[in-house]
Amino acid sequence: MPKLDFSKPLYALAPLAGFTDLPFRSVVKKFGVDLTVSEMISSNALAHNSKKTHKMLEKSELETPYSIQIAGSDLDVIKRAVEIINEKEGIDIIDLNCGCPAPKVVNNLQGSSLLTDLDQMGKVIETIKKYSNKEYTSVKMRLGFNEKNHIEIVKIIEDAGADFLAVHGRTRAGKYKAAVDYDAIAQIKSTVSIPVIANGDIDSPGKAKWVLEHTKADGIMIGRAAVGNPWIFHQIKTGEEQVNTSLMREVVLEHFDQMIDHYGDYGAIMFRKHLHTYSKAGFQGASAFRNEVNTVSNASQMRDIVYRFFSQEVFKKI
């Protein structure tokens, strides 16, 4: 089982529902990310043996180390979910979601609503730690529910036995719009002795460098800024401000091929949303391209269109 190396900054892909599926993660992994995390998985659905949920546990062979993120608060259900994950090879981390702001998650004392019941949150972490046979137990959190109480939260997380944590620098009330409080992440880092990964609005190599220096965090986690831009990790690690078009084309086609592999021909239709974001990287005729792919469902035809579009030499810097 690989050990996480926190001696240098760790770069992680944040879980994003509907985006960070196996094809996307495997592409990002190929282009420089250190740690990938599954989409958020309902412990309840897992414990009730939902086929779709079990499929979400699958990983690419490239994904080492690999983390499964679960949501839930019922200790018996959490224990059952952990036992199911224990049977799977190649999973290194079980991560507890204490950050998702979505109402349907929050209304079931899951995600960020666990921050309203810190006693229960601590028990959930202890349950994962007790029953998991994986190397690490981690937590992804926000700074609080309505108000910031991050120091209280992280002390409980550390005392419950978590090995590291990722901090999204907003409260639940702040959703994705409020300014990220990097000072709060710095406070957390100076409070706990376990590694801390900073998350929230990190969208460029320059911002990544600044956040690491400002917070003294042990790593950074990027989610939304990697959608349509999975080479951001390559940029951060190499210092390349501008990615050349041949690398972009390679990434997009690799992602497309992975989608077809994983979902069959329907993967072409599912890939449209990704092409909408990929095409915003500064290519000419992007609007016409998006209109065209919206009408194509044949996989080989779509691949030809994608290849042609991303083979343009003309590239306007954004």
Side-chain angles (χ1 to χ4, degrees):
M1 206 174 271
K3 288 276 185 193
L4 290 176
D5 182 8
F6 285 108
S7 66
K8 57 184 188 293
L10 184 104
Y11 298 107
L13 176 67
L16 286 176
F19 285 94
T20 53
D21 55 5
L22 188 153
F24 184 69
R25 295 193 315 267
S26 59
V27 168
V28 177
K29 186 70 184 180
K30 212 170 198 178
F31 293 94
V33 78
D34 299 317
L35 171 65
T36 48
V37 187
S38 73
E39 293 176 85
M40 183 181 72
I41 288 173
S42 158
S43 55
N44 207 34
L46 201 54
H48 286 93
N49 283 315
S50 151
K51 261 190 181 155
K52 186 182 172 193
T53 307
H54 273 261
K55 189 166 175 62
M56 287 169 73
L57 296 176
E58 291 176 9
K59 57 167 253 186
S60 151
E61 57 191 21
L62 298 172
E63 291 185 273
T64 303
Y66 178 56
S67 173
I68 292 287
Q69 187 186 73
I70 59 173
S73 60
D74 181 300
L75 301 184
D76 290 335
V77 173
I78 288 284
K79 175 176 180 269
R80 178 72 194 119
V82 168
E83 287 168 347
I84 290 166
I85 295 167
N86 284 347
E87 294 164 13
K88 304 280 183 185
E89 295 290 318
I91 295 165
D92 309 293
I93 302 151
I94 297 180
D95 181 69
L96 177 66
N97 183 308
C98 295
C100 178
K104 67 175 183 182
V105 174
V106 166
N107 293 342
N108 294 310
L109 193 62
Q110 298 182 46
S112 57
S113 66
L114 268 175
L115 304 178
T116 67
D117 189 342
L118 296 184
D119 182 52
Q120 189 66 13
M121 181 193 75
K123 286 176 183 166
V124 174
I125 297 164
E126 286 167 3
T127 302
I128 296 170
K129 189 76 180 165
K130 179 178 177 181
Y131 293 104
S132 172
N133 66 6
K134 306 308 178 191
E135 184 85 13
Y136 302 97
T137 297
S138 64
V139 175
K140 172 108 191 289
M141 59 168 277
R142 285 183 174 239
L143 300 177
F145 195 75
N146 289 319
E147 306 295 329
K148 294 173 189 174
N149 60 329
H150 46 283
I151 300 304
E152 185 188 1
I153 294 165
V154 297
K155 284 179 174 168
I156 290 170
I157 288 172
E158 184 172 37
D159 289 348
D163 298 294
F164 67 94
L165 59 100
V167 184
H168 182 103
R170 295 180 171 100
T171 61
R172 189 265 174 169
K175 303 267 175 79
Y176 295 101
K177 293 277 195 280
V180 174
D181 187 345
Y182 299 107
D183 292 343
I185 299 176
Q187 287 174 338
I188 288 168
K189 174 60 192 163
S190 65
T191 300
V192 295
S193 56
I194 57 176
V196 174
I197 297 173
N199 172 237
D201 283 7
I202 301 168
D203 55 7
S204 68
K207 184 73 173 280
K209 185 171 183 286
W210 180 86
V211 169
L212 283 170
E213 287 169 0
H214 185 79
T215 63
K216 307 287 188 286
D218 301 280
I220 56 168
M221 182 174 267
I222 296 175
R224 288 178 299 161
V227 175
N229 187 31
W231 38 79
I232 190 168
F233 295 103
H234 173 84
Q235 289 176 298
I236 289 168
K237 286 189 164 182
T238 61
E240 286 179 29
E241 279 301 315
Q242 194 66 60
V243 176
N244 69 50
T245 49
S246 62
L247 176 68
M248 285 189 177
R249 185 180 65 218
E250 187 187 342
V251 173
V252 176
L253 289 172
E254 170 76 26
H255 191 180
F256 179 81
D257 293 341
Q258 292 279 356
M259 290 289 281
I260 303 302
D261 259 8
H262 193 63
Y263 296 109
D265 283 353
Y266 187 65
I269 292 168
M270 294 176 74
F271 196 58
R272 287 173 185 165
K273 65 182 176 190
H274 289 287
L275 288 173
H276 290 184
T277 47
Y278 280 132
S279 64
K280 289 175 182 169
F283 288 94
Q284 303 291 334
S287 178
F289 167 74
R290 288 192 285 273
N291 289 338
E292 187 177 11
V293 295
N294 283 347
T295 64
V296 174
S297 50
N298 177 282
S300 61
Q301 192 183 349
M302 188 181 281
R303 198 183 194 280
D304 289 344
I305 294 165
V306 169
Y307 184 89
R308 195 167 64 242
F309 179 77
F310 287 97
S311 295
Q312 294 178 70
E313 289 305 316
V314 184
F315 183 84
K316 62 176 191 285
K317 192 170 167 65
I318 48 170

